[in-house]
Amino acid sequence: MDKFIINGKKILNGEIEVKGSKNSAGPALMAALLCKEECIVDNVPFIEDIANILDVFESMGVEVERITNNKVKINASAIDPAKMDLEKASKTRISVLFFGPLLARVKRFKISPPGGDRIGLRPISVQLRALEKLGAKITQKENLYEAECKSLQGTEIILGEFSVTSTEAVMLAAVLANGKTTIKGAAAEPHVQDLGQMLLKMGAKIEGLGTHTIIITGVKELRGCEHKVISDPLEAGTFIVLGALGGGKLKVKNVNPEHLDLFLAKLEEMNVNLEKADNYVIVSYSPDLNPVKVQALPYPGFPTDLLPIIIPLLLRSNGKSLVHDPLYENRFNYVQQLRKMGADIEIVDPHRAFVFGPSKLSGAKIDSWDIRAGACLVIAALSAEGQTVIENAFQIDRGYEKIEERLQKIGADIKRISNF
């Protein structure tokens, strides 16, 4: 396993560009499985989770061509899920989205449970129940799901929660179902809207994108298209927080600030020095920070994946902050790693924590447990005194493309060490 060695307290200045959204690219690639024509997906981040999914595609006979590092051509005219690389499919959460297109295309298949971050219970029961309402029959035998359907039939589906993956899975299945499907309680996140925009280009009939009620009228077939996925608001949020702690001035490029309205509003409440434009955010070192209360909420609320990212900023504030994540009971798995660095954080219960500032952080040997926890630790290490070693760099690689090379260009002292 690779690790990062970081020497903190370096001044960060310059420009850094946000890559394409992992949470948008995964569903877009899945949408390409719905038709027999070529689809080109642009702005795809070159990260481990995406590489695993493309390997799974190829194992099923799907033609995959990387036109550039970030542009991929998919031809799914032939697809055989019986040959699926189940081991690689189990390594990423994106694989949960195979259900929709495979039910629409091949009617019968087996798949391993999805992998992903260890941030608590992430059952896929909401998604499976929704797909069963469309006519699928899904059973779990040993460590595999078996799915089949004679035909998908549009219906009304009321999701029990604003689940992004459930909304996307139903969209991917319903576009080729017979009749009309109404999804109530649908997620409205930017990457859900982006999937909808690609499906529209392919000939799907969809209304209500960006709202909590999406109406889909099924069509007989979809055509190929070219689609550029949105920039990653989570990566943008990561770099913006880094700029506030980095001692200099950082221009974060390729950002849609509207995707981060409440996040940026919370930073302004904290007294972070930032300037918003149409496609970038400039953030300067912000030494006098206010404590705040932060709660994760469905879009357009504060994103759950940015809660870990804001913690190093809260550790520099003048007082006690409250962080609340009602979704995942293991979201705070990284707190013990921050405590090794000197952070003063009290876990109230599995969903809430008090963060006390200002805390002086010092380098330590720590471990990354998931994508956003790893990014949190990178930010903390860059703002800490001394040297920090972060094990399991692959967890960070799952969500951030070549992060050490990009941070080096703005002045960070970070290097990757391979243990092999």
Side-chain angles (χ1 to χ4, degrees):
M1 299 292 182
D2 289 0
K3 58 188 175 184
F4 288 132
I5 296 180
I6 298 173
N7 293 299
K9 290 295 185 182
K10 305 299 180 183
I11 303 297
L12 305 183
N13 274 306
E15 299 181 351
I16 190 165
E17 185 168 353
V18 176
K19 299 290 188 179
S21 167
K22 172 180 83 82
N23 290 339
S24 183
L29 293 171
M30 291 293 180
L33 300 182
L34 287 167
C35 72
K36 296 182 180 181
E37 299 180 6
E38 287 184 350
C39 289
I40 295 176
V41 184
D42 196 4
N43 203 29
V44 177
F46 191 57
I47 55 176
E48 186 167 323
D49 275 12
I50 295 297
N52 278 333
I53 284 298
L54 293 177
D55 285 346
V56 176
F57 279 19
E58 291 185 308
S59 72
M60 295 190 295
V62 176
E63 295 180 14
V64 176
E65 179 188 347
R66 277 198 177 272
I67 301 172
T68 67
N69 271 350
N70 301 111
K71 182 181 285 191
V72 182
K73 182 189 294 184
I74 304 293
N75 186 326
S77 56
I79 182 169
D80 185 359
K83 297 180 180 179
M84 180 187 293
D85 186 331
L86 296 175
E87 182 180 353
K88 285 206 169 180
S90 70
K91 290 182 177 180
T92 171
R93 184 73 179 178
I94 299 171
S95 65
V96 75
L97 294 177
F98 273 118
F99 283 97
L102 292 184
L103 283 168
R105 279 288 304 275
V106 301
K107 310 303 182 186
R108 185 183 181 92
F109 60 93
K110 296 180 181 179
I111 189 170
S112 51
D117 293 331
R118 297 171 286 178
I119 55 178
L121 294 174
R122 304 179 76 185
I124 63 173
S125 54
V126 173
Q127 176 184 146
L128 299 187
R129 284 196 300 269
L131 292 171
E132 286 171 343
K133 290 203 69 175
L134 289 172
K137 180 182 178 182
I138 303 171
T139 57
Q140 186 171 13
K141 296 181 179 180
E142 297 179 350
N143 199 35
L144 289 175
Y145 286 102
E146 296 185 5
E148 62 179 306
C149 73
K150 292 182 180 179
S151 65
L152 295 171
Q153 186 66 45
T155 186
E156 180 179 88
I157 294 173
I158 302 173
L159 298 178
E161 57 190 46
F162 294 120
S163 168
V164 168
T165 52
S166 296
T167 303
E168 292 169 338
V170 174
M171 290 170 65
L172 289 165
V175 288
L176 290 179
N178 298 316
K180 184 174 74 173
T181 299
T182 301
I183 311 171
K184 294 184 177 180
E189 273 73 4
H191 43 285
V192 176
Q193 297 180 49
D194 197 40
L195 171 61
Q197 292 301 322
M198 178 170 174
L199 291 171
L200 287 170
K201 291 178 184 177
M202 297 174 72
K205 296 180 179 179
I206 305 173
E207 302 173 63
L209 291 174
T211 76
H212 295 304
T213 300
I214 297 176
I215 300 171
I216 299 172
T217 302
V219 298
K220 289 186 177 182
E221 62 181 10
L222 296 174
R223 58 180 177 268
C225 78
E226 182 165 353
H227 181 70
K228 184 176 181 179
V229 304
I230 60 172
S231 61
D232 193 340
L234 304 176
E235 185 172 276
T238 302
F239 295 149
I240 290 168
V241 168
L242 190 59
L245 294 170
K249 179 181 286 189
L250 193 61
K251 183 178 183 179
V252 184
K253 300 165 59 178
N254 196 25
V255 178
N256 185 342
E258 291 184 359
H259 292 165
L260 290 166
D261 278 339
L262 268 71
F263 170 76
L264 295 175
K266 187 61 65 173
L267 296 191
E268 289 173 336
E269 182 183 344
M270 291 187 68
N271 201 31
V272 171
N273 299 316
L274 57 85
E275 173 191 338
K276 295 178 285 187
D278 288 341
N279 60 357
Y280 65 84
V281 173
I282 295 176
V283 57
S284 304
Y285 176 58
S286 306
D288 188 20
L289 297 171
N290 303 318
V292 291
K293 295 179 181 179
V294 190
Q295 179 179 355
L297 291 169
Y299 186 80
F302 195 101
T304 179
D305 280 350
L306 285 180
L307 278 186
I309 303 303
I310 202 174
I311 297 294
L313 204 57
L314 299 179
L315 287 168
R316 289 282 294 274
S317 68
N318 299 307
K320 180 175 75 173
S321 297
L322 172 65
V323 178
H324 181 202
D325 187 342
L327 297 176
Y328 302 119
E329 69 280 356
N330 286 344
R331 176 59 89 182
F332 296 117
N333 60 24
Y334 56 88
V335 165
Q336 184 56 34
Q337 307 305 309
L338 289 173
R339 285 173 174 163
K340 292 178 184 178
M341 302 178 71
D344 189 356
I345 303 175
E346 176 188 345
I347 297 179
V348 180
D349 58 42
H351 297 281
R352 294 179 299 161
F354 289 128
V355 182
F356 298 91
S359 290
K360 183 178 179 180
L361 301 182
S362 301
K365 185 176 180 179
I366 52 180
D367 198 353
S368 173
W369 288 84
D370 61 69
I371 297 172
R372 306 308 163 187
C376 162
L377 299 178
V378 168
I379 295 171
L382 289 169
S383 62
E385 295 280 358
Q387 186 175 92
T388 299
V389 177
I390 303 178
E391 300 283 356
N392 291 324
F394 82 94
Q395 290 283 7
I396 303 165
D397 294 338
R398 289 177 48 229
Y400 296 86
E401 179 179 332
K402 298 180 181 179
I403 190 169
E404 76 280 9
E405 295 180 14
R406 296 156 71 194
L407 294 178
Q408 287 164 3
K409 291 178 181 178
I410 59 172
D413 186 346
I414 175 174
K415 61 182 178 180
R416 180 187 296 268
I417 300 295
S418 177
N419 290 334
F420 299 102

